Amino acid sequence: MNSKPTALKALDIISIILLAVATYLALVYAPTEKVMGDVQRVFYFHVATAWVGLLGFVAAGVSGVAYLKTQDLKWDLVEQAAVEISLIFFFLAIVLGSIWARPIWNTWWTWDPRLTSASIVELIYLAYFMLRQGIDDPDKRARFGAVYTLVGAISVPITFLSIRMFRTIHPVVIGSKSAAADGGFNMTGDMKLAFFFALFAFTIIFIDLFWNRIRLGQLQQRIEQLKLKVME
Amino acid sequence: MKKEKRKSNYLRAIGAIAWKDLAAELRSRELLSGMLVFSLLVILIFNFALELDAKTRTSVTAGVLWVTFVFAGTLGLNRSMAIEKDRGCLDGLLLAPVDRSAIYFGKVISNLAFMIIVEIIILPTYSFLYNINLFQPGLLLVILLGSIGYTAVGTLLSAMSVQTRTRDVMLPILLFPIIVPVLIAAVKASNGYLQGLPTDQILPWINLLIVYDVIFIAISFMVFDYIVEE
C-alpha cells in the first residue's frame, strides 16, 4: 500500500513515451491538411482529449450507480477520480477546439451541441465539487455525490439531443457527415495512423491518471484514519 | 385486497403531505407572496434590460417568461425544503410509517401547485402589460409539462441542497445545468405557439418535455431514499 506498485510505475513511463510519440505523429508525421493547413493538427489531440473526457464521464456515472448499490466508499473514490480527470480533459478539449475554430469557423465559440454539452458537463462537475465541499459527513457526501453524478449523467445526453434538434456546424469526421458541418475533411492513411495512435495513447494516459488518482484517494483516506487514531 | 389497501395508504400519504404544505401556505402566504413579487420584479427588470418593444417582444416573450418561472421556482423550492429542515419537520416525516418516496411525491405536488399558482397570476399580468395573448391551450400545456419537469428535479435537488452548508446558493448551481433540456424544449415550444408555427414543428419539443418528465420522475423516485437517509 505504501510504495507505488511496479505496474503503475511502468504505466507512468509508458504513458509518457506514448504521449511523446503521439505528439510527434500529430505535429510532424501526419501530412498537412490541404485546405485548413497546420491548424488542423490540433484535431488529433482535440478528439483524443474529448474522448478521455467522455471516458471519465461514463466512468463517473457507472461508479455513482455502483456506490448507491453497494454503499462501499471505494466507489466514491473512483467516482471522484473520474470526475476530476473528465473535468480537466473536457476543458483541454474545449481549449484545443477553440484554437482550431478561430481560423476555421471564424469564431472562438458557437452554441453547437457538442460545445454546449461539454460546457454544461463542466458546470455540472463544478457544482459536484461545490456540493461535496458543503457536506462534512463522508457517507452523506458520497451518497449525494453519487446521486448528483447519476442525475447529471442522464441529463447531459438529453441536453445533447435537444440542442442537436437545432442545426449543427460541428464537423463529424468519423461516421456520417452532416451537410451543414463546416470544416470537415477526409483523413488519409497517415492521418488515420496519427489519429488512432493519439486516441490509443490518451486512453492509456487516462488509465494511468485514473489509477494514480484512485491511489491518491486511498492514501488520503488512510491519512485521515491515522489522524483520528492520533487524536484518540 | 391487502395490496389494494397498501396502495390507497400510499396515495393517502402523498395527499396528506401535499395538503399539509398547501394548508400551511394558505395560512402564512410567505412563500407564494415572495415568489409572486419576485417574478413581477424580474419582469420589470427585463422590461428595462431588454427594451421590450413590440418588435423584440414577439421573439423574447417565451424566454422572459421561462427565466421568470425558473428564478421564482428556485425561490419556492428552497423555501419549501428549508421549512422542513429548520423546524425538524423532515425528521418527523421520515419517522412516519410510509414509503419515503411518498414524501417526495407529496413535496413535488405541493411545489408544483405553488409554481402553477404563480404562473396563473403571472400569465394574465404579462398579457395585460404587453398585449400578447398567452392563453393558448398548447402554450398552457407546454408550461404545465415544463413545470412538472422542473419541480421533479428541483424537489430532489433541493432536498440535497438544504443539507449542505451553503444551502441557498447551492440549489441554483445544482439545478440549472440539469434542467437545461427542459428550458430549451419549453422555450422552443412556447416560442412556436407564440409565433403560430404549425404543430408538427412544435411536437418534437413537447415529446422531449414528456420524455424528460418521465425519466426524471422515475430517477428521483429511485434515488430519493439515499438523500433523506440519516
Side-chain angles (χ1 to χ4, degrees):
Chain A
M1 177 75 199
N2 289 329
S3 66
K4 204 167 176 173
T6 326
L8 185 54
K9 272 185 205 158
L11 200 61
D12 286 349
I13 296 165
I14 293 171
S15 305
I16 293 170
I17 296 170
L18 284 176
L19 183 62
V21 176
T23 313
Y24 170 79
L25 287 179
L27 296 184
V28 181
Y29 176 78
T32 309
E33 211 268 335
K34 230 191 274 167
V35 186
M36 290 184 270
D38 275 333
V39 75
Q40 179 268 337
R41 293 176 189 278
V42 164
F43 157 78
Y44 304 110
F45 276 30
H46 167 67
V47 177
T49 46
W51 162 248
V52 172
L54 195 65
L55 281 179
F57 178 77
V58 173
V62 171
S63 43
V65 175
Y67 176 78
L68 290 180
K69 266 218 132 22
T70 60
Q71 304 276 325
D72 184 346
L73 276 177
K74 162 182 92 192
W75 287 110
D76 186 48
L77 286 179
V78 176
E79 175 196 292
Q80 224 184 320
V83 170
E84 271 180 25
I85 295 170
S86 185
L87 173 79
I88 298 295
F89 276 83
F90 267 131
F91 182 71
L92 286 176
I94 290 172
V95 171
L96 289 172
S98 294
I99 293 171
W100 174 85
R102 179 70 193 136
I104 305 300
W105 289 343
N106 209 13
T107 171
W108 294 107
W109 186 263
T110 75
W111 293 103
D112 153 276
R114 282 159 215 250
L115 280 72
T116 313
S117 308
S119 53
I120 288 169
V121 170
E122 295 283 279
L123 288 172
I124 289 178
Y125 287 160
L126 293 178
Y128 170 85
F129 285 118
M130 288 182 74
L131 175 69
R132 293 186 72 102
Q133 251 174 15
I135 308 166
D136 296 320
D137 175 26
D139 280 323
K140 196 187 243 182
R141 188 166 54 208
R143 269 203 321 265
F144 282 21
V147 167
Y148 194 62
T149 29
L150 178 61
V151 172
I154 292 159
S155 126
V156 169
I158 304 179
T159 307
F160 181 78
L161 242 156
S162 61
I163 310 169
R164 194 151 219 194
M165 286 160 76
F166 298 105
R167 199 164 58 91
T168 171
I169 65 163
H170 193 290
V172 181
V173 178
I174 309 261
S176 65
K177 266 199 170 93
S178 140
D182 197 0
F185 60 97
N186 285 315
M187 282 193 281
T188 66
D190 291 345
M191 283 177 168
K192 272 189 186 141
L193 179 72
F195 172 70
F196 285 111
F197 192 83
L199 269 190
F200 168 70
F202 273 85
T203 309
I204 300 295
I205 292 168
F206 169 72
I207 295 168
D208 183 55
L209 286 173
F210 203 26
W211 191 348
N212 272 307
R213 181 61 187 84
I214 292 169
R215 190 171 162 270
L216 181 67
Q218 284 167 338
L219 291 176
Q220 269 173 340
Q221 260 185 0
R222 180 115 185 82
I223 290 173
E224 264 170 46
Q225 282 164 359
L226 287 175
K227 263 190 195 160
L228 282 178
K229 241 184 208 164
V230 170
M231 284 209 289
E232 279 167 9
Chain B
M1 183 67 194
K2 206 175 170 194
K3 203 173 170 192
E4 211 160 79
K5 196 169 172 214
R6 209 188 302 149
K7 205 167 105 193
S8 77
N9 267 343
Y10 186 72
L11 289 178
R12 211 165 330 129
I14 295 178
I17 290 163
W19 181 245
K20 139 197 108 61
D21 274 5
L22 292 173
E25 186 50 37
L26 212 64
R27 286 178 198 144
S28 69
R29 295 194 197 87
E30 273 175 353
L31 204 153
L32 271 177
S33 55
M35 281 170 86
L36 261 176
V37 176
F38 181 79
S39 347
L40 291 173
L41 286 171
V42 171
I43 289 178
L44 186 84
I45 288 172
F46 268 127
N47 180 49
F48 297 117
L50 295 179
E51 302 268 343
L52 287 175
D53 52 55
K55 222 178 102 196
T56 39
R57 228 179 285 155
T58 46
S59 55
V60 299
T61 292
V64 168
L65 279 176
W66 277 102
V67 170
T68 309
F69 295 155
V70 164
F71 283 176
T74 327
L75 223 59
L77 287 169
N78 242 334
R79 190 86 199 106
S80 119
M81 263 309 167
I83 291 171
E84 300 285 1
K85 190 72 190 160
D86 286 344
R87 299 175 197 162
C89 303
L90 194 61
D91 299 327
L93 283 179
L94 291 178
L95 286 175
V98 290
D99 198 281
R100 298 259 161 97
S101 56
I103 302 175
Y104 169 74
F105 285 120
K107 279 308 237 185
V108 168
I109 289 172
S110 61
N111 283 332
L112 186 63
F114 294 147
M115 229 177 135
I116 288 174
I117 293 171
V118 170
E119 286 161 357
I120 286 175
I121 301 174
I122 288 300
L123 285 178
T125 316
Y126 194 93
S127 303
F128 166 76
L129 287 175
Y130 296 110
N131 196 19
I132 289 181
N133 179 21
L134 294 175
F135 287 88
Q136 304 170 26
L139 183 64
L140 297 181
L141 174 74
V142 170
I143 290 176
L144 178 68
L145 287 173
S147 306
I148 291 175
Y150 181 78
T151 38
V153 185
T155 308
L156 178 79
L157 295 181
S158 69
M160 239 153 75
S161 70
V162 287
Q163 298 183 54
T164 65
R165 241 178 285 130
T166 46
R167 50 206 243 170
D168 294 334
V169 194
M170 215 52 238
L171 179 64
I173 292 176
L174 290 177
L175 181 56
F176 290 171
I178 304 292
I179 50 139
V180 170
V182 176
L183 215 57
I184 293 172
V187 169
K188 283 276 152 190
S190 311
N191 224 347
Y193 280 115
L194 287 174
Q195 304 199 332
L197 293 181
T199 321
D200 61 310
Q201 280 184 37
I202 306 172
L203 213 58
W205 298 110
I206 292 182
N207 288 340
L208 187 72
L209 277 175
I210 295 172
V211 167
Y212 186 95
D213 289 1
V214 170
I215 291 178
F216 275 90
I217 289 173
I219 290 291
S220 308
F221 169 71
M222 288 190 276
V223 300
F224 190 71
D225 254 8
Y226 296 108
I227 286 174
V228 289
E229 198 174 281
E230 278 303 324

